[in-house]
Amino acid sequence: MSEKIIAVALDINKIPYVNNIEVIFTPGKQKIWYTSNTVSIEIPRYIKIGDNILNNLIKKFAKKSKQYNRLEFNYFAKKVAKSLRKAEYDELVFENDQLKHQVMSKLNNQKTYRVRNTKRALSAEG
């Protein structure tokens, strides 16, 4: 019996190659060569504008500033969690721990499944 694996990544190039991934969630239009099942979550223009304003404020008032697209990150995590509630899957693969925690906190799913990040760590969540 084949397991259904879903990958979640902000940057598609940072997700590890797993030959049986069925669906990959990404923001915007990103495609990866080994799967045709890439689900693009479009980020609305008002979120991008809000992130731009927020990043400029942080850059102006903080000494060490990096561009954090917090609004885009939160929007993406919320939409992925909403899609995962409807999907049947056995394992999730995340780009990083921050994305994993953000999506899992919004998921509220009682099912037990395996979660894997790019460091190839497996853990039970649910």
Side-chain angles (χ1 to χ4, degrees):
M1 188 166 120
S2 175
E3 291 185 338
K4 184 171 181 181
I5 299 174
I6 296 177
V8 180
L10 292 169
D11 182 2
I12 202 84
N13 296 321
K14 293 183 180 177
I15 203 78
Y17 175 76
V18 179
N19 61 357
N20 52 352
I21 289 180
E22 292 194 20
V23 179
I24 299 175
F25 288 97
T26 63
K29 296 194 183 286
Q30 299 181 46
K31 286 281 187 188
I32 193 155
W33 62 272
Y34 60 83
T35 183
S36 61
N37 298 330
T38 304
V39 177
S40 298
I41 296 178
E42 291 299 319
I43 308 298
R45 185 175 171 96
Y46 69 90
I47 298 285
K48 291 180 182 180
I49 291 171
D51 265 339
N52 192 12
I53 292 168
L54 195 61
N55 288 338
N56 285 336
L57 286 173
I58 291 171
K59 186 177 177 181
K60 184 175 182 176
F61 294 110
K63 293 187 184 221
K64 292 183 181 180
S65 65
K66 291 183 181 179
Q67 286 199 345
Y68 299 109
N69 294 328
R70 295 303 307 170
L71 299 176
E72 182 177 332
F73 181 78
N74 288 333
Y75 182 85
F76 176 69
K78 181 179 174 185
K79 290 296 184 180
V80 167
K82 185 177 180 181
S83 297
L84 288 177
R85 277 189 220 117
K86 300 173 190 172
E88 289 293 323
Y89 51 88
D90 298 310
E91 187 175 350
L92 294 171
V93 179
F94 288 94
E95 175 186 337
N96 56 38
D97 283 335
Q98 184 181 13
L99 183 60
K100 177 177 90 172
H101 293 301
Q102 190 73 13
V103 171
M104 297 304 289
S105 69
K106 294 179 182 338
L107 192 55
N108 299 330
N109 195 346
Q110 298 301 320
K111 183 180 174 192
T112 301
Y113 45 85
R114 290 177 291 167
V115 177
R116 186 182 345 170
N117 60 12
T118 56
K119 295 176 185 170
R120 311 298 268 179
L122 290 173
S123 63
E125 298 282 337

